Amino acid sequence: MKQRGFKAFNKNMENQYGIKFEEGKIYTIPEHIILTKGTKGTGFHYTPNLEDTLRYVDGMIEEIKIASVTASKEIISFDDEYNGYFDISAAREISIDHILSREEIMTYMLNRHSLAMKRFIQGFKLTPEEIKQIREKFNNDVAIDLAISYYQEKDKDAYKKFYKRKK
């Protein structure tokens, strides 16, 4: 069985454990995988949705890379239950298929639903042009606009002002 997904790395293509990955390579662990909600799990972790990778790598404070991957051999998946929507999987074998450009990341995300975009905005540092693209695509979505104001433009009173205005 094979599954496609996404994996995020720091700018040097290292995971949180300092293991360096390369585009086009396949990585395998010899033993059966164990996926847990702690740090004791084994296997190569990935997510089915690009925005879910931002739960595990902070794209707001550091430069990151996101790759499309193919997982195979033994695969285990579960809902991380963090705010009820992050999914994660682990596989015994993973192929780093392609490092996505910012343009590819934006194209993918602009074709996702509003909730996915809101989560993306919370965890990926956007350029002013990317913010403009999102606002144009989701032009009537107050939640998206508030998320941009709060997370990207650092208006820590954005939600407070909105709810005060609604009274």
Side-chain angles (χ1 to χ4, degrees):
M1 175 172 89
K2 291 187 178 190
Q3 286 184 351
R4 305 254 323 150
F6 298 93
K7 185 167 182 63
F9 307 92
N10 69 17
K11 66 181 177 183
N12 298 320
M13 287 295 294
E14 294 173 350
N15 68 4
Q16 63 186 351
Y17 306 109
I19 299 170
K20 188 165 179 64
F21 290 79
E22 293 180 44
E23 185 175 36
K25 293 210 173 175
I26 297 171
Y27 299 86
T28 306
I29 61 168
E31 66 273 356
H32 290 289
I33 61 173
I34 302 166
L35 185 60
T36 65
K37 289 188 182 185
T39 58
K40 296 183 176 27
T42 62
F44 297 105
H45 295 86
Y46 67 98
T47 62
N49 300 306
L50 185 146
E51 66 276 7
D52 289 344
T53 65
L54 302 172
R55 161 78 162 90
Y56 307 100
V57 177
D58 192 344
M60 291 296 281
I61 61 170
E62 67 177 312
E63 184 182 334
I64 64 170
K65 296 195 179 196
I66 299 174
S68 62
V69 299
T70 302
S72 58
K73 307 275 174 147
E74 184 180 4
I75 297 172
I76 299 173
S77 301
F78 74 88
D79 178 359
D80 190 346
E81 289 299 325
Y82 183 83
N83 290 331
Y85 50 63
F86 289 102
D87 294 326
I88 187 168
S89 298
R92 196 151 58 92
E93 185 172 277
I94 196 164
S95 166
I96 309 302
D97 300 330
H98 176 65
I99 307 303
L100 300 171
S101 68
R102 283 190 78 95
E103 184 178 330
E104 289 170 316
I105 291 169
M106 287 302 297
T107 297
Y108 175 85
M109 289 309 303
L110 286 169
N111 287 300
R112 298 281 289 147
H113 54 81
S114 178
L115 179 58
M117 179 56 79
K118 184 178 173 198
R119 293 177 6 225
F120 177 70
I121 291 165
Q122 292 173 11
F124 191 82
K125 184 68 180 152
L126 298 164
T127 67
E129 181 57 36
E130 291 164 344
I131 290 170
K132 182 180 175 193
Q133 286 179 301
I134 293 168
R135 280 194 162 129
E136 286 173 2
K137 169 76 183 213
F138 295 91
N139 65 354
N140 292 320
D141 193 319
V142 173
I144 295 292
D145 197 52
L146 283 170
I148 289 171
S149 295
Y150 185 84
Y151 294 101
Q152 297 291 323
E153 298 170 340
K154 306 296 183 204
D155 180 357
K156 297 304 176 192
D157 293 324
Y159 289 96
K160 192 184 303 181
K161 288 186 270 188
F162 173 76
Y163 288 110
K164 188 181 244 183
R165 189 177 70 215
K166 293 296 278 184
K167 287 182 179 182

